[in-house]
């Protein structure tokens, strides 16, 4: 918990809730120990959708489809969503959830490794939501930025790793050090590229929100 737990509980108590299908998918996911985006992130995404009204959305990391359905439900414009998932056991559950929500025509689920799928995509996106394996964010970045429209928004979830990101390399559990190193690289890239304006926010387990801006080619890095 990177923000005082009592404060988060209070903030979440103000939440007005989701649609019935989202409540059902969330309950089933939590009962099955499947991680989904936290309440704070849900509220933030709804706000962002209302503000930016994205017509094309890319999500990296579908899980059981909760956040895809949320974006389809709360985007004020009719949007197209492409979502990528590599974990075979969750793919049929996500597909069934899309059908239950009546969103199977609106949401396209691509099965496989995002590292292999992203290079095959060519159409740009207004909003990209990164919620996959945290150690891979830095590797996905070149294709993600290629696919993000100028003026588009990139949101990356779980970037502060329960506060571990500010610890010394040696204070981090050995098995987490590679993810720690790659995430620090990712955060540095996001905040130092001249073609991005990025804020790092203590929402949930930490998020980044980036907007792609126009710059001369030789100024991008």
């Amino acid at each position: 918990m990177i923000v005082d737990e009592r404060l988060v509980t209070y903030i979440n108590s103000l939440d007005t809730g989701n649609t019935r299908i989202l409540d059902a998918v969330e309950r089933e996911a939590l009962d099955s120990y499947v991680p989904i985006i936290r309440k704070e992130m849900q509220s933030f995404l709804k706000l962002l959708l209302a503000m930016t009204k994205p017509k094309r959305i890319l999500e990296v990391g579908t899980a059981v489809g909760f956040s895809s359905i949320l974006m389809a439900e709360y985007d004020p414009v009719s949007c197209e969503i492409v979502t990528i998932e590599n974990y075979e056991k969750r793919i049929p559950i996500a597909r069934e959830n899309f059908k239950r929500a009546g969103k199977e025509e609106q949401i396209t689920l691509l099965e496989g490794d995002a590292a292999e799928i992203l290079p095959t995509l060519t159409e740009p996106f207004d909003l990209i939501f990164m919620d996959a394996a945290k150690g891979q964010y830095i590797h996905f970045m070149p294709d993600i930025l290629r696919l993000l429209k100028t003026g588009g928004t990139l949101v990356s979830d779980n970037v502060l790793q329960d506060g571990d990101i500010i610890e010394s390399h040696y204070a981090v559990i050995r098995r987490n050090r590679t993810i720690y190193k790659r995430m620090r690289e990712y955060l540095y890239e996001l905040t130092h590229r001249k073609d991005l304006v990025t804020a790092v926010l203590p929402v949930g387990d930490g998020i980044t929100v980036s907007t792609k801006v126009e710059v001369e080619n030789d100024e991008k890095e």
Side-chain angles (χ1 to χ4, degrees):
M1 182 67 66
I2 59 174
V3 178
D4 182 88
E5 189 170 354
R6 291 175 59 222
L7 183 58
V8 171
T9 299
Y10 170 69
I11 292 171
N12 288 342
S13 75
L14 301 174
D15 186 82
T16 55
N18 295 317
T19 58
R20 185 175 299 177
I21 182 61
L22 281 167
D23 287 342
V25 172
E26 181 176 32
R27 185 169 56 251
E28 292 160 9
L30 295 176
D31 287 346
S32 303
Y33 302 101
V34 176
I36 60 171
I37 57 174
R38 304 183 191 197
K39 288 290 186 185
E40 312 92 279
M41 188 61 184
Q42 294 173 32
S43 297
F44 178 81
L45 270 184
K46 291 179 193 177
L47 171 66
L48 189 65
L49 291 164
M51 291 173 62
T52 62
K53 302 177 176 62
K55 292 182 179 178
R56 296 195 77 241
I57 298 173
L58 172 64
E59 176 185 51
V60 185
T62 312
V64 294
F66 177 84
S67 49
S68 292
I69 297 170
L70 183 142
M71 291 188 285
E73 292 271 272
Y74 287 98
D75 193 335
V77 301
S78 179
C79 65
E80 173 192 355
I81 299 174
V82 177
T83 183
I84 303 171
E85 179 57 49
N86 194 35
Y87 188 30
E88 292 180 0
K89 291 184 179 180
R90 290 179 182 162
I91 289 170
I93 300 172
R95 291 196 185 282
E96 179 59 27
N97 286 336
F98 296 155
K99 184 180 291 187
R100 290 165 62 194
K103 303 295 183 183
E104 67 269 33
E105 298 297 323
Q106 186 177 0
I107 302 171
T108 300
L109 197 163
L110 303 179
E111 303 179 24
D113 188 340
E116 297 175 0
I117 293 173
L118 287 171
T120 71
L121 303 179
T122 56
E123 294 295 318
F125 293 89
D126 304 296
L127 171 64
I128 300 179
F129 180 42
M130 293 275 280
D131 191 23
K134 310 307 173 255
Q136 299 305 312
Y137 282 13
I138 188 68
H139 300 313
F140 297 157
M141 194 172 186
D143 280 306
I144 290 298
L145 294 182
R146 174 181 61 83
L147 291 166
L148 184 64
K149 279 185 179 177
T150 299
T153 305
L154 167 63
V155 178
S156 306
D157 200 10
N158 303 119
V159 299
L160 298 182
Q161 302 178 321
D162 287 322
D164 278 355
I165 203 73
I166 62 171
E167 300 295 340
S168 159
H169 170 84
Y170 299 102
V172 176
I173 298 171
R174 184 179 294 273
R175 68 173 179 271
N176 293 336
R177 287 179 184 173
T178 298
I179 295 175
Y180 163 90
K181 178 177 179 292
R182 290 177 180 176
M183 184 56 74
R184 286 180 69 105
E185 290 174 7
Y186 181 69
L187 292 173
Y188 185 89
E189 283 293 314
L190 284 180
T191 53
H192 285 75
R193 289 185 64 97
K194 292 184 178 175
D195 57 346
L196 293 176
V197 176
T198 298
V200 184
L201 305 172
V203 175
D205 190 26
I207 66 172
T208 57
V209 186
S210 306
T211 296
K212 188 175 181 181
V213 296
E214 246 183 284
V215 294
E216 296 296 330
N217 286 335
D218 59 351
E219 294 182 19
K220 286 188 179 180
E221 298 186 6

